[in-house]
C-alpha cells in the first residue's frame, strides 16, 4: 500500500464514528472487550461501502463487517451464516439479472441503461439462529445508485419478513444485541422498534467494518445526527408525485422532510437532527444576542454521563405567517462541541443572519422577511427544539430583488397553516433592526470580460469544438463514453479539449465522485497515452451483461514491447449522507482535502462532485450521494468539501446536479414541475450557499427537465448562478451519452440540444461527440446560438483553466 493510502485512512478513521447515528440504546454497549458474537444479516459479509454508479470508488481494499469484527478480536460463533445466506442471494441474483436482460431486450434498451442502478431486493431465507454467544449483531444492508430508484417494498425500503423474524428473536434472547443499518438512506424500522440498540452505521468507505468494531468496543463512539427524517412507509409524504416516467409534480411545495412532518404534526420514527450517544448530555438555557440582522444563540452543554462524547446544538427559526405560509420551523444554524469528558461542560455558539431565512414572494420576485414574530428554538433535534427567544420585525423587509424564472406550475402548492403553539409569553424579546441593511439586486454579468479571454482568430467552428469538448471526427470515438481523458488519466470521466493547446487553451481533466476519486485501478501506458485495464463501467453493472459481452468489456490487455502496466488506487471516503450526519463541517473539509491530495497525485483537475440535491423522497436511488433533506445542511457541507479540495492549487470541484435532480426513474428525460417559490427556497438554496462560501470552479446541470425545459437549456437558471449567486466558473452538462437510446421507452421528452445548451450559457456539452458538434454548427447557421455566446462560453473555460494555474 502506498503512503498516501495509509495516511488517508489514518486521517479518516478517528472521524468515522461521528458519521454514525445511535437511534436507540439500553446501556448494553459499549462492550467491555472482544467476546464471542453471533453475527447475522446480509451486511455482515456483503457490507456496502458506498452506492453504485459514479459513486463507486476503486480502492485497494475494503474491510467488511465480518473482517472488522475478526480483526478486533471477536470470535464469530456462526461463520456458516454468510455461506448459507449466499446460496439464497445467488439464486435471487440469477433471477434478477435474467429479468433485467429480458426487460432490456423486450423494451429495446441498451444494457447500460437497463442495468445502471438496478438493485436486487434482499431475499427471504431460513437459517438457524445461535443463542450461545455473549453478544449478537444483525446487519441490515441496502444498496442503491444512479439509474434506478428504491422500492417501497420488502427487501429494500422495508425489512423482509425473515429480517424482522430474526431481529426480534435475537433481541429477545440476547441482553447485548445491536441492530446495525448499513444503508445509504432510511429503512422502515417500524416492525422492530422494540429493539433496544439500533445504530445507523451508514456506508463509510474503506474502513466501514473496522468502524463498527471500534464503536461496539467503545474505542470510538457515535455522535452523528440524522440529516433526513426517518418515517414508516405509510407515513411518507404523498402530496407530490414520485417516480412518474414523464412529469413529476412537486405539489408539496416547500414542505419537504421535517418541514412537512413538523408543520402538519405527523408521525415519524426518528426526527431530523436526532441522534444519541453512549453518554447523555444536558443543554442549558439558551441565550440570544441580536446585532442588526446578526443573531447569536449560545447554550451550555454538559456531559452528564459516564462516557466521552460530542453533542450538537441546533437552532431553528419559526417565521411568522403572512402573505407567505411558512413551515413550522427551519434550520438556521448548528455547532458541534469538541469531545467532552464526563462531567465537563462547554458553551456552544451558533451564529446566523436572519436575512438567510427570507421566503420568496413570486408576486414581487423578491426574497422577503415579513413583519411579525420570529421564534428562536434551540435543542439537539428538530422535534425537541425549545423556544428560547422572540425576535420582532416591525415592517416587511426586502432582502433581494430578483427576476421571475417562469410563470409557475400547473397546480397550487400544498399550503400550510400557522401551527405554532409555543408558550412565548415569558421569553425574552429582541427587536430586529434592519435599518442599516439595503435591498440587494442582481449583479452585472461579466460576459464581455469572459469573451475577451479567447484568443483572436478562432472561427465559429473552432469555438463549437471548444463548447462540446474534443472528439474524433471519424470512427467510433471513446469520447462518446468517457471523453478523451483516458489518454491522460485512465478511467477518468472526461476531458475538455486538447486541440487548441498551441493557442494556450489547455485541457481540463475530470474524474467522477462523490465518495472519492473514481478512476481505473489498473492501466497500461504506451506512446499513445494511458489506457484502462478492464471495464470502466462500475463493477455492480458488469454481471448484468451477457457472458461474451462481459468478457469483451473486462478483457485483459496483452503484454507488448513499450507497454508499462501500473496501478492507481484511491480512497473511498464516507458517502455524502454519512458526512452530513457528522454535523461536522471540519470533517467534511478533511474529506475534501483527502480528495484534493489524490487529485494532485493522479493529475485530476476537476472533481465531478460534491452533489447536493435534496432528499425530497427517501426512495430516490441517488440520495446516498446527496447530503440531506435540508438546503442549509446541503450547502454548508458542499462548501466544506469544496474548500478542502480547492485548498490544493490547481484542483477544483464541480457542484451538481443543478437542479431538481430528485429521482432516477427516466432520469434523462423526466420533467420536474415545481413552483418558483419551492424551487428557490428548497432546491436552489444550497447551491447559493455553497457558491457564496467556497467559490467552486464549476457547476454541472442535471439530466432532468424543469417545467418543460432541460435544465442545461435554461438561460434563466444560468442567470441565477451568475447574477444572483455570484458564480465565477463554468457550467457543464451531465454526461449526455448515446442520445435518445438512453431514454425510457415511449418518453414524452427527448435529450438536450447542444445548440440550445450553448445558447443558455453552458460552456461544456459533455462528453462531446460529432453529433453534438453538428447541432451547434446547425444552431449557428439558424441563429439559435450566436458566435459571441460561444466565445463567452469558451472564455469561461479559459478563465477556469487560469484559476487552475494551467
Amino acid at each position: 500500500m502506498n503512503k498516501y493510502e495509509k495516511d488517508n485512512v489514518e486521517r479518516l478513521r478517528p472521524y468515522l464514528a461521528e458519521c454514525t447515528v445511535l437511534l436507540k440504546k439500553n446501556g448494553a454497549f459499549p462492550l467491555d472487550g472482544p467476546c464471542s458474537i453471533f453475527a447475522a444479516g446480509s451486511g455482515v459479509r456483503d457490507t456496502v461501502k458506498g452506492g453504485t454508479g459514479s459513486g463507486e470508488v476503486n480502492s485497494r481494499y475494503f474491510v467488511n463487517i465480518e473482517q472488522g469484527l475478526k480483526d478486533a478480536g471477536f470470535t464469530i460463533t456462526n461463520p456458516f451464516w454468510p455461506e448459507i445466506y449466499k446460496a439464497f442471494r445467488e439464486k435471487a441474483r440469477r433471477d434478477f439479472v435474467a429479468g433485467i436482460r429480458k426487460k432490456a431486450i423486450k423494451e429495446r434498451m441498451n444494457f447500460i441503461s437497463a442495468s445502471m442502478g438496478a438493485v436486487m431486493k434482499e431475499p427471504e431465507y431460513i437459517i438457524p439462529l445461535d443463542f450461545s454467544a455473549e453478544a449478537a449483531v444483525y446487519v441490515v444492508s441496502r444498496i442503491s445508485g444512479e439509474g434506478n430508484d428504491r422500492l417501497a417494498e420488502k427487501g429494500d425500503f422495508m425489512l423482509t419478513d425473515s429480517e424482522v423474524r430474526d431481529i426480534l428473536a435475537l433481541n429477545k434472547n440476547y441482553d447485548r444485541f445491536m441492530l446495525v443499518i448499513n444503508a445509504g438512506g432510511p429503512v422502515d424500522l417500524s416492525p422492530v422498534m422494540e429493539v433496544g440498540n439500533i445504530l445507523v452505521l451508514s456506508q463509510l468507505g474503506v474502513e466501514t467494518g473496522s468502524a463498527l468494531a471500534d464503536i461496539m468496543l467503545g474505542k470510538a463512539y457515535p455522535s452523528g445526527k440524522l440529516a433526513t427524517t426517518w418515517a414508516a412507509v405509510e407515513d411518507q409524504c404523498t402530496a407530490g408525485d414520485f417516480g412518474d416516467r414523464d412529469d413529476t409534480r412537486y405539489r408539496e411545495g416547500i414542505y419537504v422532510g421535517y418541514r412537512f412532518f413538523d408543520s402538519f404534526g405527523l408521525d415519524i420514527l426518528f426526527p431530523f437532527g436526532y441522534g444519541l450517544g453512549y453518554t447523555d448530555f444536558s443543554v442549558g438555557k439558551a441565550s440570544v444576542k441580536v446585532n442588526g440582522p446578526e443573531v447569536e444563540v449560545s447554550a451550555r452543554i454538559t456531559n452528564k454521563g459516564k462516557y466521552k462524547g460530542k453533542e450538537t446544538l441546533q437552532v431553528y427559526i419559526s417565521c411568522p405567517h403572512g402573505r407567505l405560509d411558512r413551515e413550522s420551523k427551519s434550520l438556521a444554524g448548528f455547532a458541534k462541541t469538541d469531545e467532552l469528558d464526563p462531567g465537563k461542560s462547554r458553551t456552544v455558539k451558533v451564529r446566523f443572519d436572519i436575512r438567510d431565512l427570507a421566503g420568496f414572494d413570486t408576486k414581487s420576485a423578491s426574497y422577503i422577511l415579513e413583519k411579525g414574530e420570529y421564534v428562536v428554538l434551540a435543542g439537539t433535534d428538530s422535534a425537541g427544539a425549545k423556544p428560547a427567544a422572540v425576535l420582532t420585525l416591525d415592517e416587511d423587509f426586502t432582502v433581494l430583488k430578483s427576476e421571475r424564472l417562469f410563470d409557475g406550475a400547473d397546480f397550487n402548492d400544498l399550503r400550510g397553516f400557522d401551527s405554532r403553539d409555543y408558550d412565548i409569553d415569558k421569553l425574552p424579546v429582541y427587536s430586529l433592526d434592519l435599518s442599516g441593511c439595503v435591498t440587494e439586486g442582481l449583479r452585472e454579468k461579466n460576459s464581455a470580460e469572459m469573451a475577451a479571454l479567447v484568443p483572436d482568430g478562432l472561427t465559429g467552428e473552432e469555438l463549437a469544438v471548444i463548447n462540446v469538448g474534443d472528439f474524433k471526427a471519424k470512427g467510433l470515438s471513446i469520447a462518446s463514453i468517457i471523453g478523451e481523458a483516458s489518454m491522460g488519466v485512465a478511467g477518468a470521466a472526461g476531458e475538455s479539449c486538447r486541440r487548441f493547446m498551441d493557442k494556450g487553451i489547455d485541457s481540463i481533466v475530470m474524474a467522477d465522485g462523490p465518495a472519492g476519486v473514481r478512476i481505473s485501478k489498473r492501466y497500461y501506458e504506451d506512446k499513445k497515452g494511458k489506457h484502462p485495464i478492464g471495464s470502466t463501467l462500475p463493477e455492480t453493472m458488469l454481471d448484468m451483461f451477457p457472458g461474451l459481452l462481459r468478457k469483451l468489456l473486462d478483457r485483459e490487455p496483452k503484454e507488448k514491447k513499450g507497454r508499462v502496466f501500473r496501478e492507481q488506487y484511491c480512497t473511498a471516503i464516507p458517502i455524502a449522507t454519512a458526512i452530513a450526519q457528522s454535523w461536522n463541517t471540519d470533517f467534511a473539509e478533511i474529506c475534501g482535502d483527502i480528495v484534493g491530495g489524490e487529485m494532485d497525485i493522479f493529475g485530476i483537475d476537476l472533481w465531478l462532485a460534491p452533489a447536493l440535491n435534496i432528499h425530497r423522497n427517501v426512495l430516490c436511488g441517488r440520495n446516498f450521494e446527496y447530503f440531506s433533506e435540508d438546503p442549509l445542511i446541503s450547502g454548508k457541507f458542499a462548501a466544506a468539501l469544496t474548500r478542502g479540495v480547492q485548498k490544493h492549487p490547481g484542483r477544483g470541484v464541480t457542484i451538481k446536479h443543478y437542479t431538481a435532480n430528485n429521482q432516477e426513474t427516466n432520469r434523462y428525460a423526466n420533467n420536474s414541475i415545481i413552483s418558483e417559490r419551492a424551487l428557490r427556497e428548497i432546491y436552489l438554496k444550497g447551491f447559493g450557499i455553497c457558491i457564496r462560501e467556497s467559490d467552486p470552479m464549476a457547476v454541472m446541470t442535471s439530466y432532468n427537465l424543469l417545467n418543460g425545459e432541460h435544465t442545461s437549456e435554461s438561460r434563466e437558471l444560468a442567470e441565477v448562478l451568475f447574477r444572483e449567486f455570484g458564480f465565477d466558473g463554468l457550467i457543464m452538462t451531465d454526461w449526455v451519452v448515446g442520445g435518445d437510446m438512453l431514454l425510457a421507452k415511449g418518453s414524452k421528452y427527448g435529450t438536450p440540444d447542444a445548440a440550445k445548451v450553448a445558447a443558455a450559457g453552458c460552456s461544456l456539452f459533455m462528453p462531446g461527440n460529432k453529433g453534438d458538434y453538428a447541432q451547434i454548427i446547425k444552431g449557428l447557421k439558424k441563429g439559435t446560438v450566436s458566435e459571441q455566446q460561444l466565445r463567452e462560453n469558451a472564455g469561461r473555460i479559459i478563465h477556469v483553466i487560469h484559476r487552475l494555474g494551467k
Side-chain angles (χ1 to χ4, degrees):
M1 188 185 300
N2 292 304
K3 184 178 184 300
Y4 75 88
E5 295 174 86
K6 294 179 181 177
D7 291 345
N8 289 343
V9 170
E10 288 176 2
R11 292 184 70 189
L12 285 172
R13 183 135 175 203
Y15 290 94
L16 295 182
E18 290 201 39
C19 303
T20 69
V21 184
L22 189 61
L23 297 179
K24 295 190 70 177
K25 65 175 181 177
N26 63 11
F29 293 88
L31 301 172
D32 295 331
C35 60
S36 62
I37 190 167
F38 178 85
S42 59
V44 170
R45 182 169 294 174
D46 295 318
T47 313
V48 181
K49 74 175 187 292
T52 69
S54 63
E56 294 187 40
V57 177
N58 293 317
S59 52
R60 184 183 297 272
Y61 74 96
F62 168 59
V63 180
N64 66 9
I65 288 171
E66 182 180 34
Q67 189 62 49
L69 293 173
K70 290 179 179 177
D71 290 346
F74 286 94
T75 301
I76 297 177
T77 61
N78 60 317
F80 61 86
W81 202 100
E83 290 298 326
I84 299 175
Y85 184 75
K86 182 180 179 181
F88 288 96
R89 210 167 192 270
E90 286 181 343
K91 181 184 182 304
R93 185 70 180 173
R94 288 193 297 269
D95 294 342
F96 176 70
V97 171
I100 292 292
R101 292 174 180 169
K102 184 177 180 180
K103 176 184 176 181
I105 294 170
K106 181 180 179 181
E107 298 187 8
R108 298 178 182 178
M109 298 173 66
N110 66 76
F111 285 108
I112 295 178
S113 296
S115 61
M116 180 171 283
V119 174
M120 181 192 80
K121 293 183 294 184
E122 292 298 322
E124 301 287 353
Y125 65 86
I126 298 177
I127 306 174
L129 296 179
D130 174 13
F131 301 125
S132 64
E134 297 170 272
V137 62
Y138 191 100
V139 185
V140 173
S141 190
R142 297 290 190 265
I143 193 169
S144 61
E146 63 174 307
N148 276 274
D149 291 312
R150 296 177 64 187
L151 301 172
E153 298 178 4
K154 295 177 180 179
D156 192 345
F157 180 69
M158 302 168 68
L159 298 173
T160 65
D161 293 338
S162 304
E163 289 172 328
V164 172
R165 178 196 66 221
D166 286 0
I167 289 167
L168 293 179
L170 292 168
N171 184 63
K172 180 180 179 180
N173 286 277
Y174 279 96
D175 292 332
R176 292 180 288 186
F177 168 65
M178 180 177 285
L179 171 59
V180 175
I181 310 300
N182 169 226
V187 176
D188 183 356
L189 299 179
S190 54
V192 295
M193 286 295 285
E194 66 189 70
V195 172
N197 300 282
I198 304 177
L199 177 75
V200 179
L201 180 66
S202 194
Q203 296 163 348
L204 305 177
V206 289
E207 291 282 343
T208 300
S210 302
L212 177 60
D214 287 345
I215 290 168
M216 294 181 71
L217 292 172
K219 294 180 179 179
Y221 50 83
S223 66
K225 302 284 186 177
L226 293 179
T228 295
T229 306
W230 283 45
V233 64
E234 65 269 17
D235 295 323
Q236 297 294 325
C237 179
T238 57
D241 304 333
F242 178 79
D244 292 45
R245 186 189 65 177
D246 295 317
D247 296 303
T248 302
R249 289 172 170 80
Y250 290 45
R251 294 186 182 90
E252 72 280 1
I254 65 169
Y255 297 99
V256 177
Y258 72 91
R259 288 170 165 80
F260 170 73
F261 293 106
D262 288 357
S263 297
F264 294 95
L266 301 175
D267 291 333
I268 55 174
L269 299 177
F270 302 101
F272 173 83
Y274 178 82
L276 305 173
Y278 281 151
T279 192
D280 295 304
F281 293 92
S282 62
V283 179
K285 184 179 179 180
S287 62
V288 177
K289 294 181 180 179
V290 179
N291 182 16
E294 303 291 335
V295 181
E296 179 185 280
V297 180
S298 59
R300 190 77 170 168
I301 295 178
T302 302
N303 182 350
K304 61 179 186 178
K306 60 180 182 179
Y307 297 104
K308 296 178 179 180
K310 297 182 180 182
E311 183 57 283
T312 301
L313 179 65
Q314 303 167 32
V315 177
Y316 298 82
I317 292 292
S318 181
C319 298
H321 287 243
R323 297 199 308 275
L324 303 178
D325 60 306
R326 298 300 297 261
E327 58 272 81
S328 172
K329 66 177 77 75
S330 56
L331 185 67
F334 58 93
K336 192 168 188 176
T337 68
D338 295 330
E339 183 175 84
L340 292 179
D341 290 327
K344 297 297 182 181
S345 300
R346 186 71 48 84
T347 297
V348 177
K349 297 181 179 180
V350 175
R351 298 181 179 90
F352 61 93
D353 190 317
I354 195 67
R355 291 173 294 182
D356 293 335
L357 279 297
F360 188 77
D361 177 38
T362 54
K363 290 183 178 179
S364 63
S366 302
Y367 291 89
I368 64 171
L369 290 170
E370 296 191 72
K371 65 180 180 180
E373 295 178 331
Y374 292 76
V375 181
V376 179
L377 303 104
T380 56
D381 62 62
S382 62
K386 304 298 182 184
V390 177
L391 312 178
T392 61
L393 185 62
D394 293 336
E395 58 182 21
D396 294 353
F397 181 79
T398 299
V399 176
L400 184 145
K401 178 67 176 173
S402 188
E403 294 176 351
R404 290 295 305 274
L405 294 176
F406 42 76
D407 292 334
D410 59 357
F411 56 84
N412 293 321
D413 281 355
L414 176 67
R415 186 172 177 84
F417 53 93
D418 193 347
S419 60
R420 301 187 297 176
D421 58 356
Y422 310 123
D423 182 8
I424 61 175
D425 292 340
K426 298 181 181 180
L427 295 179
V429 179
Y430 303 90
S431 177
L432 287 167
D433 181 8
L434 305 185
S435 59
C437 303
V438 297
T439 298
E440 295 182 21
L442 297 178
R443 299 168 172 82
E444 289 297 322
K445 196 167 66 168
N446 55 354
S447 300
E449 180 183 340
M450 291 294 105
L453 295 175
V454 180
D456 294 334
L458 288 178
T459 65
E461 289 78 9
E462 290 173 321
L463 292 170
V465 171
I466 296 174
N467 273 246
V468 299
D470 214 345
F471 60 92
K472 295 178 181 177
K474 295 181 180 180
L476 179 65
S477 173
I478 193 68
S480 66
I481 305 296
I482 60 168
E484 293 293 340
S486 61
M487 298 298 102
V489 179
E495 191 164 334
S496 57
C497 184
R498 297 184 172 205
R499 199 173 300 187
F500 304 102
M501 294 179 73
D502 61 334
K503 298 181 183 296
I505 305 176
D506 211 331
S507 184
I508 302 173
V509 179
M510 312 161 205
D512 254 329
V517 176
R518 184 175 179 272
I519 52 180
S520 296
K521 54 189 173 185
R522 295 187 302 135
Y523 69 95
Y524 69 90
E525 189 172 3
D526 58 21
K527 62 182 180 181
K528 294 181 179 180
K530 298 176 181 178
H531 314 272
I533 294 177
S535 172
T536 58
L537 294 173
E539 292 181 8
T540 52
M541 292 174 58
L542 277 179
D543 66 352
M544 299 286 188
F545 288 76
L548 179 59
L549 181 55
R550 186 166 64 250
K551 288 180 180 179
L552 288 173
L553 288 169
D554 207 26
R555 65 185 182 275
E556 291 283 327
K558 296 179 180 179
E559 291 192 17
K560 289 184 178 180
K561 186 178 180 180
R563 282 185 177 176
V564 180
F565 291 78
R566 304 185 189 279
E567 60 183 26
Q568 47 183 18
Y569 290 99
C570 298
T571 305
I573 62 175
I575 60 172
T577 301
I579 293 174
Q581 285 174 177
S582 74
W583 289 62
N584 184 344
T585 53
D586 290 341
F587 171 59
E589 193 162 331
I590 288 172
C591 290
D593 189 22
I594 287 171
V595 170
E598 293 187 351
M599 292 169 69
D600 285 338
I601 292 169
F602 299 115
I604 306 296
D605 301 315
L606 284 182
W607 187 40
L608 302 180
L612 61 151
N613 295 106
I614 296 295
H615 292 178
R616 173 184 177 245
N617 190 295
V618 293
L619 299 180
C620 176
R622 226 167 164 180
N623 274 355
F624 75 95
E625 292 190 37
Y626 310 147
F627 297 103
S628 175
E629 66 189 21
D630 183 77
L632 179 70
I633 290 286
S634 301
K636 291 287 186 181
F637 277 88
L641 275 165
T642 298
R643 289 192 297 271
V645 170
Q646 294 189 173
K647 70 171 59 174
H648 294 262
R651 311 301 162 200
V653 309
T654 307
I655 62 173
K656 63 184 186 182
H657 306 88
Y658 187 74
T659 183
N661 192 104
N662 303 110
Q663 73 175 49
E664 289 299 291
T665 302
N666 193 22
R667 67 191 187 128
Y668 294 98
N670 184 265
N671 180 29
S672 296
I673 304 176
I674 313 176
S675 70
E676 184 170 1
R677 182 186 174 198
L679 177 71
R680 287 180 176 274
E681 291 188 26
I682 304 296
Y683 302 100
L684 293 182
K685 186 172 182 177
F687 287 92
I689 292 170
C690 180
I691 289 168
R692 293 184 182 109
E693 293 190 3
S694 63
D695 194 18
M697 299 271 189
V699 170
M700 178 189 289
T701 60
S702 53
Y703 282 130
N704 56 278
L705 297 89
L706 175 66
N707 292 1
E709 181 179 40
H710 274 286
T711 59
S712 57
E713 296 178 347
S714 173
R715 188 167 189 87
E716 289 78 10
L717 284 176
E719 293 292 294
V720 170
L721 288 175
F722 293 122
R723 302 191 63 202
E724 189 169 311
F725 298 160
F727 178 56
D728 185 35
L730 67 87
I731 305 174
M732 70 175 73
T733 67
D734 204 339
W735 264 230
V736 183
V737 290
D740 289 351
M741 66 183 285
L742 296 179
L743 302 181
K745 185 179 180 181
S747 290
K748 179 178 178 180
Y749 304 102
T751 49
D753 181 288
K756 293 180 181 179
V757 170
C762 186
S763 292
L764 277 172
F765 192 98
M766 293 302 294
N769 60 39
K770 56 188 177 184
D772 305 324
Y773 170 77
Q775 283 184 336
I776 293 184
I777 296 301
K778 183 178 179 181
L780 278 172
K781 293 178 180 178
K782 293 177 63 177
T784 307
V785 61
S786 68
E787 186 172 315
Q788 182 60 24
Q789 183 63 59
L790 295 182
R791 187 171 294 276
E792 178 186 336
N793 296 347
R796 295 192 186 281
I797 296 172
I798 295 170
H799 175 59
V800 169
I801 290 171
H802 291 169
R803 286 185 64 187
L804 291 167
K806 301 194 72 172

